[in-house]
Amino acid sequence: MNKKLLSLAIIAILFSACKTKKYSRNNKQIEKAANKVNPDFKSQTTLSYIASFKDVAIEEMNRYGIPASITLAQGIIESGSGNSSLARYANNHFGIKCTSDWKGKGYYKDDDKADDCFRVYKDARESYKDHSEFLKRKRYSALFELDKNDYKNWALGLKQAGYATNPKYPDLLINVIDKYELYQYDQGESENEKLKREDRVFTEINANIPKEQKKFTPVATPPSKQVVKTPDTLRIPAPDLNKTPVADSSATPIFKPSSYTVKQGDTLYNISKRFNISVDELKSLNNITDTGIKIGQKLILVK
């Protein structure tokens, strides 16, 4: 090895050591704060963990359709029933990492790479809610068409959509659900309830698609630790809903809800483009004789 390469190698080693020290100091601060909030931490059993978090899992199920049994089983597996260092100090029960949209603190652990940055939550409920937000993405969209008590297909679908690399992940989830009878917390829904829930969830997923690539890009340091500030002049302006949409396959809606409520700035043209339906079809389905629509008007999108 020549002198130049040797010097570069030494610099790289020193830089890595400095980063590791910085992350270690950061983690100690996080741990100190967590111990202050909960000085008498006691290890949880799986049963006590279920008792603690079944209510928030049911709330998220009723809001989005993710089976409570699936959410609880994932929490049990990924947080060691709430006893992992990530759950104890960062209130992170699902191993969600820092991404470009994360504004909170970070906790550093070796995972896919050394010193991966994981999100720190103020409490475990916030972690459960962020888990739902994490799943509201194009790659997981087909799962939200399942019944909210269909935990077996949810388990299989998560693996197929790339949630976990372990080929046994569906079996792990299903085994935990069956062992602890977590399916008792799942609830059915009527066809009408399911349609309303799907319309709401898929509208949110569709709206988020154009931002997904940037939003879920992993970052080494969460924005809360970065010193670069964006001046007001560089803020992204609100979208002009009257502007003709630009074709973008990555932003194509993945689901057409059965109906849509008109919002300020909507036109028949941009609604037709958003949901891949012609203006003539929209007018025919809703008995519209002219191009006038009103805010709050509910438009039928599917026969």
Side-chain angles (χ1 to χ4, degrees):
M1 183 181 291
N2 60 40
K3 290 183 177 179
K4 185 176 181 180
L5 289 175
L6 181 61
S7 297
L8 290 172
I10 292 172
I11 291 170
I13 292 170
L14 291 173
F15 179 72
S16 177
C18 288
K19 282 181 67 178
T20 299
K21 286 183 179 178
K22 182 183 75 171
Y23 294 149
S24 178
R25 287 196 300 269
N26 173 85
N27 284 2
K28 285 179 180 177
Q29 291 175 354
I30 300 292
E31 291 164 9
K32 183 178 179 180
N35 287 330
K36 187 176 181 180
V37 172
N38 187 12
D40 301 317
F41 177 84
K42 294 180 180 178
S43 296
Q44 295 191 78
T45 66
T46 300
L47 290 178
S48 66
Y49 181 87
I50 294 167
S52 296
F53 298 110
K54 62 182 176 63
D55 289 342
V56 67
I58 291 171
E59 286 175 19
E60 294 302 293
M61 173 184 65
N62 290 333
R63 185 173 287 115
Y64 299 115
I66 306 164
S69 60
I70 285 289
T71 303
L72 285 168
Q74 287 187 293
I76 290 167
I77 291 170
E78 295 176 33
S79 75
S81 296
N83 297 309
S84 70
S85 59
L86 199 57
R88 177 178 176 181
Y89 299 122
N91 286 314
N92 190 329
H93 288 238
F94 300 94
I96 297 179
K97 295 180 181 178
C98 303
T99 50
S100 63
D101 67 316
W102 180 244
K103 302 298 188 291
K105 296 178 180 179
Y107 187 84
Y108 296 88
K109 284 176 61 69
D110 292 349
D111 192 56
D112 295 328
K113 60 183 181 183
D115 295 319
D116 262 338
C117 179
F118 290 85
R119 299 181 179 191
V120 176
Y121 301 100
K122 64 181 181 181
D123 56 43
R125 284 180 63 86
E126 190 178 69
S127 175
Y128 268 72
K129 291 178 181 296
D130 198 38
H131 170 261
S132 299
E133 294 298 323
F134 183 82
L135 290 178
K136 283 164 47 185
R137 299 161 66 181
K138 186 174 182 179
R139 68 190 298 181
Y140 303 118
S141 57
L143 298 176
F144 291 92
E145 294 184 74
L146 297 171
D147 291 339
K148 66 179 186 180
N149 57 0
D150 189 357
Y151 69 90
K152 290 186 177 179
N153 279 317
W154 258 91
L156 294 169
L158 283 168
K159 173 63 180 70
Q160 291 170 356
Y163 186 93
T165 55
N166 185 345
K168 297 290 186 181
Y169 192 69
D171 294 330
L172 289 173
L173 288 175
I174 292 170
N175 289 341
V176 168
I177 290 170
D178 289 343
K179 179 178 179 180
Y180 294 100
E181 300 181 353
L182 301 181
Y183 46 74
Q184 67 182 293
Y185 305 116
D186 295 340
Q187 299 164 3
E189 57 191 337
S190 68
E191 188 64 27
N192 188 47
E193 289 172 334
K194 184 180 179 184
L195 285 172
K196 286 182 178 179
R197 190 254 305 165
E198 286 178 346
D199 286 354
R200 176 168 42 78
V201 172
F202 280 107
T203 297
E204 293 177 22
I205 292 175
N206 286 335
N208 195 43
I209 288 174
K211 311 169 192 172
E212 276 191 12
Q213 185 173 359
K214 180 180 179 182
K215 183 177 180 180
F216 292 103
T217 300
V219 293
T221 308
S224 63
K225 296 291 183 181
Q226 296 173 7
V227 296
V228 178
K229 294 184 179 180
T230 304
D232 291 342
T233 53
L234 294 182
R235 287 182 181 169
I236 299 172
D240 183 353
L241 296 176
N242 290 310
K243 186 177 180 181
T244 302
V246 178
D248 180 359
S249 59
S250 67
T252 302
I254 42 73
F255 176 81
K256 184 194 296 181
S258 60
S259 63
Y260 174 76
T261 302
V262 177
K263 298 178 177 60
Q264 185 173 1
D266 280 338
T267 65
L268 282 176
Y269 178 74
N270 66 33
I271 293 172
S272 72
K273 290 297 182 184
R274 194 180 311 160
F275 298 109
N276 195 26
I277 182 174
S278 71
V279 172
D280 287 339
E281 283 182 283
L282 265 177
K283 293 171 73 174
S284 175
L285 285 170
N286 294 279
N287 297 317
I288 298 173
T289 55
D290 53 26
T291 57
I293 52 176
K294 298 178 181 179
I295 296 173
Q297 180 178 352
K298 189 170 184 179
L299 299 178
I300 297 171
L301 302 177
V302 180
K303 290 182 180 179

